[in-house]
Amino acid sequence: MSGPSDDGASDDRRGDSPEGLHRPRAAEGGEPRCGLVAVVGAPNAGKSTLVNALAGTKVTIVSPKPQTTRFRIRAVVMHGTSQIVLVDTPGIFAPRRRLDRAMVNAAWGGAQDADLTLLLVDARAGLKDDVRAIVEGLAKSKRPLMLALTKADLIPRERLLPLAKELNDLLPFRETFMISALKGDGLDRLLDALAAAMPAGPYLFPEDDLSDLPQRMLAAEIVREQVLRQTHEEVPHHATVETEQWEERKDGSARIDVTIYVSRASQKAILIGDKGARIREIGQRARAELEKLLERRIHLFLNVKERAGWDEERGRLRALGLDDPG
């Protein structure tokens, strides 16, 4: 269990926006444009990294492990007079568990509901079977499609062009981009294209909103990010995190009680660590991240519970914001 923090910052939040920052207003003049862009791809294609880079701040968690994103998260990006609502979706893969099926359904649902779909392909991995399957699925959609080859700074350009051609031969994309989300390469051109592609219409969110992720889910996700980063083997994909209680305090701080559910006793032991060392480290790092995002003092308390078969429970899926795939 991690203890409360002693340092904090002022609470200058607005609504459920996780960052508590105020974005500059959209440029004056010109008609407003707004639309949803589904960011889809195989696990580890760099979807969440790109969404955070385009948003200019952290709105979704990131880890080196596949299947980090489990449900759709909307990030609001203002670019000129356009509001681009980026929908970060789970990676599309061959599902086995009820949880897996719900995640994949959420990804395809995001693509179906969006005004435009942006397919991300890891340029280093190339055109593998999982990408081919996604392209085949997108071919059935009538939505406009764009393609971005991610991590393009890590391979020679002479390998990028054939890959782009091969993908466009399978499915013609409106535009193709070669980007590096970490370095910011190609993002300005991508943003310009997304903004221009948005249909004319009123904004869906206030201009200074950053995300539609409620604070309780943000807290759970930040803790899960640390579980992903600090544990290995079977633990990361057999753990789920829920915020059990959120208590506002008179001094402007908040107490947050979070439970980490795992499938087996051995996973619980790994999470807790020797004399509680690992769970303390998870708590300390998660608390520091939450204090940075929320700009206030956070008292974070973690509990680990064994719950066999949680990833097949309809209630757990609903708590994650996922629809039961049946």
Side-chain angles (χ1 to χ4, degrees):
M1 182 177 293
S2 63
S5 64
D6 293 321
D7 57 328
S10 61
D11 181 12
D12 184 29
R13 294 169 292 114
R14 180 186 176 99
D16 267 338
S17 172
E19 285 289 334
L21 304 177
H22 297 285
R23 190 198 314 280
R25 293 287 172 183
E28 296 292 335
E31 64 176 345
R33 310 177 73 88
C34 181
L36 279 75
V37 177
V39 183
V40 304
N44 262 11
K47 298 179 295 296
S48 297
T49 301
L50 176 63
V51 168
N52 287 339
L54 293 178
T57 189
K58 184 172 184 173
V59 295
T60 182
I61 67 171
V62 177
S63 89
K65 296 182 175 66
Q67 302 165 31
T68 296
T69 301
R70 283 182 171 168
F71 53 89
R72 284 179 272 178
I73 299 173
R74 295 175 179 87
V76 183
V77 177
M78 299 302 304
H79 192 69
T81 58
S82 292
Q83 183 176 88
I84 308 163
V85 182
L86 300 170
V87 185
D88 186 19
T89 65
I92 298 173
F93 60 103
R96 292 183 298 174
R97 305 172 293 175
R98 186 186 295 269
L99 170 65
D100 298 341
R101 295 194 297 274
M103 289 164 57
V104 172
N105 285 352
W108 284 120
Q112 292 168 4
D113 297 341
D115 298 284
L116 183 150
T117 298
L118 177 65
L119 171 64
L120 267 58
V121 175
D122 183 341
R124 296 178 305 174
L127 185 51
K128 290 188 173 181
D129 289 343
D130 55 355
V131 175
R132 287 183 183 274
I134 295 170
V135 170
E136 289 175 5
L138 291 176
K140 303 172 186 176
S141 171
K142 296 181 180 179
R143 304 292 190 189
L145 302 169
M146 292 186 182
L147 170 67
L149 302 182
T150 63
K151 310 173 188 178
D153 57 314
L154 301 179
I155 68 172
R157 189 169 183 84
E158 55 266 24
R159 285 178 53 193
L160 290 173
L161 296 177
L163 175 59
K165 182 181 185 304
E166 194 173 4
L167 283 159
N168 275 274
D169 286 344
L170 288 175
L171 179 62
F173 292 89
R174 176 183 289 189
E175 292 190 62
T176 298
F177 305 88
M178 300 173 188
I179 63 172
S180 169
L182 286 177
K183 291 189 175 181
D185 297 344
L187 298 192
D188 288 343
R189 179 172 168 259
L190 175 59
L191 264 180
D192 288 344
L194 293 177
M198 295 298 94
Y203 297 154
L204 294 173
F205 294 90
E207 293 177 45
D208 54 1
D209 272 11
L210 292 163
S211 169
D212 68 344
L213 188 65
Q215 290 181 10
R216 292 175 70 95
M217 293 190 76
L218 171 70
E221 282 291 275
I222 293 299
V223 171
R224 190 167 68 87
E225 181 178 45
Q226 290 304 319
V227 172
L228 287 165
R229 290 184 174 276
Q230 296 190 46
T231 61
H232 306 286
E233 298 171 354
E234 81 278 9
V235 174
H237 299 303
H238 289 272
T240 189
V241 183
E242 294 182 24
T243 299
E244 305 287 355
Q245 184 175 350
W246 186 300
E247 177 190 346
E248 296 288 343
R249 294 190 169 181
K250 293 181 180 179
D251 62 359
S253 67
R255 171 181 172 136
I256 308 173
D257 290 85
V258 172
T259 298
I260 305 170
Y261 291 98
V262 292
S263 299
R264 295 191 291 272
S266 59
Q267 297 163 355
K268 180 177 180 179
I270 292 171
L271 262 177
I272 293 173
D274 185 28
K275 298 180 180 179
R278 177 167 283 119
I279 196 65
R280 280 196 300 272
E281 183 71 11
I282 289 171
Q284 289 167 2
R285 294 194 182 191
R287 174 179 55 79
E289 183 76 6
L290 283 168
E291 289 187 337
K292 177 182 175 183
L293 292 172
L294 299 176
E295 296 187 325
R296 61 194 301 198
R297 184 190 296 179
I298 296 297
H299 309 276
L300 180 64
F301 293 87
L302 302 183
N303 188 25
V304 181
K305 292 183 179 180
E306 179 187 351
R307 192 180 185 99
W310 69 262
D311 49 3
E312 296 288 342
E313 292 181 18
R314 291 179 172 87
R316 296 274 81 78
L317 299 185
R318 287 195 294 268
L320 290 171
L322 291 168
D323 293 328
D324 179 17

